[in-house]
Structures are given as C-alpha cells and as structure tokens.
Amino acid sequence: MKKLSARRRHPLAAVVVLLLALAATGGLYAAFAPAGKAQADETAQSLAIDEGKKLYTVGCASCHGTGGQGTTDGPSLVGVGSAAVDFQVGTGRMPAQQPGAQVPKKPVIYTQAEIDQLAAYVASLGAGPITPTDKQVDPAGADVAKGGELFRNNCAQCHNFTGKGGALTKGKYAPDLEGVSPKHIYEAMQTGPQSMPSFPDTTMPEQEKKDIIAYIQTVNGEESESPGGLALGGLGPVSEGLFAWIFGLGSLVAVAVWVAAHTAKAKKS
C-alpha cells in the first residue's frame, strides 16, 4: 500500500488558530466580565443600603417612621431621593434638634460615607432626585450673566439679589447662600427644602443650575466689589445712601439734644 502523503498545512494556519483563540477568550470576557462587575456593584449597593438602614433606625426612625412612612413628628421620606438626604444631613439640618418653624443649618454629625449610606437606604424606599455628580455641579465655564438673570427671576424674591437671605412669613427665612457648596445649592434646587420650591431638570435644566451656582459664587467671591461702599445685603448705593441719611441725621439730632440739655443745666447751675 502506498503511504498517504501528509497534508501540508497552510503557513497562516497557526495565525488563524491563534486569532480564533483570542476571539474566543475575548468573547468569554465580554460575556462574563460585565456580569461580574454588575454583580459587584449590586452587592456594594446592597451593603450600603443595609448599613444605611442601621443608621436610619438609630437616628431617623423616631420621627420619620421605621419604614420612612412618616409620623406626626416628621414627613414621609418615600420618594424624596438621595439628593434630599445628602442636602439635609450634609448641611446638619437633620437630624433636627427640636421642632420649629424652620430647621436651621448646624454642624454635621455624620461622615460623608455614612451620609451616602443613609441616602442609599432612603433612595431604596422610592424613586426620587439623585445626588448630583461633581461634573454636574461644577460651575466652570458657566454663563455668570445668564445665572444672574435666572437668579433674579427665580430666587431673589426670597434670597436677596446676591443670596444674602431674608425673612419670610410665620418665622421662616431664606438662608444666606454665601459659602454654601455647589453640590448643596444644586440639591436645594432639585428638592425644594422647607419653604423653597423645587426646580427639577424638566423646569430648570442642569446647565441653568450651573449658571446660577456660578453667579452666586461670583457675587459672593473675594474679587466682587460693592460700588456703593457697604454691601447691606447687596441692595445697592441708593439703600446705602438712605441708611446713612436716616441714621446720620438721627445721630446729629441726638447729639444736638444732648448738647442743648447739658447747656441748660450749666446755665442753671
């Protein structure tokens, strides 16, 4: 019998086999890696929710209910979202020390990690505004002039023209915005805390919020100048002149009365 001649392999056969092997490996990675990452993210989120629930039970449940449903001492938290928690707890307003017309800003008692865990738990109770990212609140490149126009139209009635705050009805007030972080300003616009109306992205897009943040930071920055002298809440030179006129004239009248009274006593003696 004649020996069958061995088939000659094509020179590129080894290369093809290697490429197929790499493709198979890549396919397996594409099939399993995203699932593994998603599973890890889900596990981390579940742990955050569990830890947040523990913190909530200790520090929040007595007013807001064991399941966030609310009580006579505190409103429901179902659907307020993580942004509301980050704002209220991140500015020290919550937990509240005592009931009142308005909960004031106080020193923060939780770490940011704990605040994130509380926010994750409350967000799990119902969909709501999400805590913004650093990119969303960064005012770099924003239109300050546009932000000033938006602020005067939507915010100045309560917060004053430069965000110095002001009194409202029934013991409430609009807080001073100087020194407030961009994230908390953004979250306040998202959620509408206490007497403030909310401005969701459907009403005020993300870019307009960034413009307002840029305006607030600019008018309250160290480089901002007051052409009238004393700022007096940013009301302008006219109000400052009126202030000087009333109190200056009053001081002169008081001095004149004092001099006249002492002159009369000196003459009698």
Side-chain angles (χ1 to χ4, degrees), residues 180-196:
V180 180
S181 70
K183 181 177 72 165
H184 290 150
I185 294 176
Y186 193 103
E187 289 170 342
M189 288 188 280
Q190 276 185 308
T191 61
Q194 304 191 88
S195 299
M196 180 175 170

Side-chain angles (χ1 to χ4, degrees), residues 154-166:
N154 298 282
C155 318
Q157 297 90 335
C158 297
H159 288 283
N160 186 285
F161 298 100
T162 57
K164 296 299 182 182

